[in-house]
Amino acid sequence: MVNHLVIENLKHRPVRTGLSILAIAFSVTLVLTIVGLSDGMLEDNRERARGAGADVIFRSPTASFGTGGGAAPLNEKLIPYLETQPHVTIAAGVLMHSLQFPNSLHGIDLDRSSRMAGGIRFLSGGPFRQETDIIVDEFYAREKKLRVGSKIPLLNKEWIVCGIVESGKLGRMFVQLPVLQDLTSNPGRITQIYLKVDRPENIPAVVAGLKKNQPDYGVNTMEEVLSAFSADKVPALTIFLKVIVGISVAIGFIFVFLSMYTAVLERTREIGILKALGASPAFIVNILLRESLLLAVLGAITGILFSFGTRYLFLVTIPASMQQKITPLWWPKALLIALLGALLGTLYPGLKAAKQDAIEALSYD
Amino acid sequence: MTDAMVEIRQLKKIYHQGDVEVQALRGVDLTVAKGEFVAIAGHSGSGKSTLFNILGGLTPPTAGTVHLNGQDLLALTEGERTELRKRTVGFIFQKYNLLPTLSAQENIDIAKYIAGNKSAPDANFQEVLQLLGLSDRLNHKPRAMSGGEQQRVAIARALVNHPALLLADEPTGNLDTENSNLVLDLLRDLNHRLHQTIIMITHNPEAAAFADRIVHMRDGRIVS
Ligand SMILES: Nc1ncnc2c1ncn2[C@@H]1O[C@H](COP(=O)(O)OP(=O)(O)O)[C@@H](O)[C@H]1O
Ligand SMILES: [Mg+2]
């Protein structure tokens, strides 16, 4: 009976009900999209790092994880030295140059990097032939509408796309290592070196050996590096997330508050009627609470559905820059956010309704 | 106890409007027997609605004694007055006051629900519905019903929990003559056939004439 009244009340004002649901949905979508993007982009980075096919990464000890800056702290003479180490089958140096976030340009030795990745498949075009050649991955090509022969201006130079490769191998944009070294005034220098080990069980031995022989450098297994690509290891990201969650609760709160507040004002008479029939203040508050919690649940579900929509939008528009993951683990949290906003928003209107004088409501127009 | 349904002695009610005291009731004495149909007549401002609100447990009295069905209303807490409204009294208002989002049947059901009355529809109440002639309109929402129909639904709602006292404040104030007579006939029928005790407030002498007895009020007192 009470639930029926709640549903009829919500149906009675479809526009207000719809707007409240949309507002809650919006805040839920906001949270899920931000979480999905941070997870998605980290995972994308992780996948590409894994796609490089390396088992061990050799870096300067001062280097930060991930797609380093423009720094090139290593001498490329280390590559042949590392390649002669026991169990190391390939050593490939990479020079990374950060472009506008989140892209970076990779200077690579195509032959070595390709062998390490177990072959890089060209969707169209082929390997480098001249100095101005650039290889891009399919996501970047899609986002920037590039095809073989397209020209890209980068680092005060015009590049020509010579090949488009499948995504998920190391990076999105590749040029020849010496060309990038020249352009960035880093002759003979590289950012890090990827090592392939003959068998997985030999990886610890290789790492141990290198740490002993080259104590001045950073040596990590790929697994160690990958585990650093997670949201909870990036403090700025977790703070950012908390802010977004806070904003979402606030949006939910404001809309449910307005919705319930106007509902209480508008329903002075109905509340008076219920009181005349013997409804206690708790009964009245209970009805309002159920109304707003129902709004919150519907809003959360709509918000979850919307997050599939934003994911689709990112996928068709900027697949190379932003990747959104669908994060079911966050769905209960999103629901809690919506419920919390709704609960807070109902407090004051509920108290107001409970205190309302029945006589005044019933006797006047 | 006597068989009085209502016993009022020297009832006073003072409203405080800011610093101003409004003496709405200045010492009312009234006895209504069980099964009686009493009309309270009087000009606007004479205190009729105030008496109605006190008897209905909507507002506490200031002084005097009020016994309703053996209960002393002066001693009631807010929570006890809520309980009183559930079962002891049923209200009919000038403005029908149905819940607009519910159908006629649901408007009746919610009164039962609030009172915690889980009994199946009883023969007695079926007779009420028969008298009201509402059977085929019960699935309509108030806005699809005429004023007369809405008032009859309100009567059904007021009676569903078998209140000891049916209180009506200007029940025909918004109705045309035909519908007024219909509603007043109904109240009289309910009183005659089911011995329902009724106190009806009205300033219309024709409406008051339907009652067993007419009590006149002026300036917060009963004058005859
Ligand atoms: N809630 C209230 N606050 C202050 N004064 C009130 C209130 N209700 C009624 N009054 C005053 O009490 C007097 C009696 O009013 P009421 O009982 O409504 O009379 P009636 O129903 O006979 O018109 C009037 O002077 C009215 O202005
Ligand atoms: Mg009045």
Side-chain angles (χ1 to χ4, degrees):
Chain A
M1 190 74 225
V2 171
N3 288 336
H4 182 73
L5 179 61
V6 163
I7 288 164
E8 289 302 323
N9 283 346
L10 290 178
K11 283 205 304 210
H12 197 65
R13 287 268 175 273
V15 174
R16 184 178 60 211
T17 301
L19 271 181
S20 308
I21 291 176
L22 272 182
I24 296 169
F26 173 76
S27 60
V28 164
T29 308
L30 185 66
V31 170
L32 290 180
T33 301
I34 299 292
V35 170
L37 279 177
S38 67
D39 272 20
M41 292 172 72
L42 284 165
E43 182 173 294
D44 180 73
N45 268 311
R46 214 158 45 218
E47 284 309 307
R48 275 182 286 131
R50 184 176 284 133
D55 299 309
V56 175
I57 297 183
F58 189 90
R59 294 171 306 161
S60 149
T62 55
S64 66
F65 280 122
T67 52
L74 300 182
N75 190 314
E76 67 182 3
K77 296 222 169 66
L78 283 161
I79 298 173
Y81 160 77
L82 290 170
E83 220 161 40
T84 58
Q85 296 300 304
H87 303 303
V88 173
T89 55
I90 312 168
V94 178
L95 174 59
M96 293 185 213
H97 187 82
S98 292
L99 303 169
Q100 191 185 13
F101 179 82
N103 294 319
S104 58
L105 187 57
H106 288 67
I108 58 167
D109 174 340
L110 183 58
D111 172 54
R112 279 194 157 91
S113 289
S114 175
R115 273 192 291 134
M116 182 172 286
I120 292 179
R121 197 161 63 86
F122 280 89
L123 300 175
S124 59
F128 304 116
R129 278 179 312 237
Q130 48 195 31
E131 293 210 336
T132 53
D133 278 352
I134 185 168
I135 295 174
V136 298
D137 81 340
E138 56 177 315
F139 282 174
Y140 192 79
R142 196 195 305 164
E143 181 173 324
K144 303 287 184 200
K145 300 189 171 55
L146 300 174
R147 53 191 69 216
V148 171
S150 299
K151 296 190 169 76
I152 320 176
L154 277 178
L155 303 174
N156 304 318
K157 196 174 151 127
E158 188 156 85
W159 305 82
I160 298 166
V161 176
C162 67
I164 295 173
V165 296
E166 60 186 323
S167 295
K169 300 283 167 86
L170 198 56
R172 300 205 182 281
M173 286 183 275
F174 308 98
V175 296
Q176 294 176 78
L177 179 57
V179 177
L180 190 59
Q181 284 172 331
D182 258 14
L183 260 179
T184 58
S185 314
N186 284 309
R189 302 199 73 82
I190 49 185
T191 310
Q192 54 193 27
I193 301 170
Y194 294 91
L195 303 180
K196 184 137 194 96
V197 177
D198 55 0
R199 302 159 67 103
E201 57 268 32
N202 292 330
I203 293 173
V206 171
V207 171
L210 285 175
K211 276 189 171 153
K212 190 159 153 264
N213 296 337
Q214 302 290 338
D216 294 341
Y217 293 92
V219 183
N220 294 95
T221 66
M222 191 50 130
E223 288 314 313
E224 286 165 349
V225 174
L226 290 179
S227 71
F229 288 111
S230 77
D232 47 350
K233 296 246 168 63
V234 187
L237 204 53
T238 50
I239 292 168
F240 181 61
L241 265 180
K242 277 179 188 155
V243 170
I244 294 294
V245 166
I247 290 173
S248 300
V249 171
I251 293 174
F253 161 78
I254 289 167
F255 268 84
V256 171
F257 179 92
L258 281 178
S259 178
M260 285 301 130
Y261 190 75
T262 51
V264 168
L265 288 184
E266 208 179 74
R267 281 193 229 146
T268 312
R269 178 176 291 273
E270 288 151 60
I271 291 166
I273 296 170
L274 289 171
K275 287 189 171 173
L277 295 176
S280 60
F283 184 94
I284 312 277
V285 172
N286 180 15
I287 286 176
L288 291 175
L289 259 185
R290 284 186 200 216
E291 275 187 41
S292 47
L293 294 186
L294 187 59
L295 287 178
V297 170
L298 291 176
I301 292 172
T302 312
I304 289 170
L305 293 179
F306 281 177
S307 72
F308 284 87
T310 55
R311 175 173 182 266
Y312 175 77
L313 283 181
F314 284 121
L315 211 58
V316 295
T317 54
I318 46 170
S321 311
M322 303 262 181
Q323 305 82 32
Q324 185 191 337
K325 242 180 95 173
I326 294 300
T327 51
L329 278 179
W330 265 79
W331 291 352
K333 291 190 210 172
L335 180 64
L336 279 182
I337 290 167
L339 290 177
L340 183 66
L343 211 61
L344 290 176
T346 316
L347 272 179
Y348 178 73
L351 282 178
K352 192 176 161 63
K355 279 203 232 142
Q356 215 163 62
D357 184 6
I359 298 170
E360 225 166 301
L362 294 171
S363 28
Y364 305 107
D365 291 296
Chain B
M1 276 310 293
T2 62
D3 12 327
M5 176 62 68
V6 176
E7 280 240 43
I8 301 172
R9 293 287 166 266
Q10 282 307 303
L11 174 63
K12 293 192 176 133
K13 175 69 180 181
I14 297 172
Y15 291 111
H16 296 273
Q17 258 185 342
D19 290 342
V20 185
E21 279 192 356
V22 181
Q23 297 200 13
L25 298 179
R26 299 162 186 255
V28 170
D29 293 299
L30 178 66
T31 306
V32 177
K34 278 186 183 148
E36 210 180 358
F37 181 2
V38 174
I40 297 180
H43 293 296
S44 180
S46 58
K48 307 183 298 290
S49 293
T50 301
L51 184 60
F52 171 94
N53 292 333
I54 291 173
L55 282 173
L58 288 166
T59 192
T62 307
T65 58
V66 185
H67 281 93
L68 171 54
N69 205 21
Q71 243 185 323
D72 183 359
L73 296 196
L74 211 73
L76 296 189
T77 62
E78 184 71 48
E80 286 164 340
R81 276 201 302 278
T82 300
E83 286 303 310
L84 179 87
R85 299 200 290 268
K86 282 184 186 173
R87 295 262 191 170
T88 312
V89 290
F91 296 95
I92 308 170
F93 304 92
Q94 177 174 356
K95 295 218 62 188
Y96 328 130
N97 282 332
L98 298 177
L99 293 170
T101 56
L102 298 182
S103 71
Q105 179 69 57
E106 292 161 347
N107 262 286
I108 297 169
D109 290 345
I110 199 154
K112 253 184 113 171
Y113 178 87
I114 289 173
N117 177 353
K118 298 204 173 63
S119 63
D122 49 300
N124 204 331
F125 188 65
Q126 289 309 319
E127 199 180 335
V128 170
L129 285 183
Q130 287 271 305
L131 277 177
L132 294 170
L134 278 172
S135 327
D136 55 330
R137 304 288 286 161
L138 285 175
N139 290 323
H140 290 73
K141 296 236 166 118
R143 67 169 170 276
M145 307 179 101
S146 72
E149 282 170 333
Q150 289 189 53
Q151 193 60 300
R152 281 181 279 150
V153 174
I155 295 173
R157 177 182 66 183
L159 292 174
V160 71
N161 296 315
H162 303 299
L165 175 63
L166 179 62
L167 284 169
D169 190 354
E170 307 276 7
T172 58
N174 275 13
L175 299 178
D176 57 27
T177 315
E178 194 188 332
N179 273 302
S180 291
N181 288 337
L182 208 84
V183 164
L184 291 165
D185 272 336
L186 271 169
L187 291 180
R188 194 167 52 190
D189 263 5
L190 287 167
N191 173 250
H192 283 176
R193 293 208 213 168
L194 305 174
H195 310 293
Q196 176 69 53
T197 312
I198 302 174
I199 295 180
M200 176 176 74
I201 283 163
T202 181
H203 61 256
N204 178 352
E206 286 169 43
F210 279 76
D212 301 335
R213 179 157 67 102
I214 305 175
V215 172
H216 294 274
M217 279 188 80
R218 181 180 296 162
D219 298 332
R221 284 192 186 89
I222 304 253
V223 289
S224 67

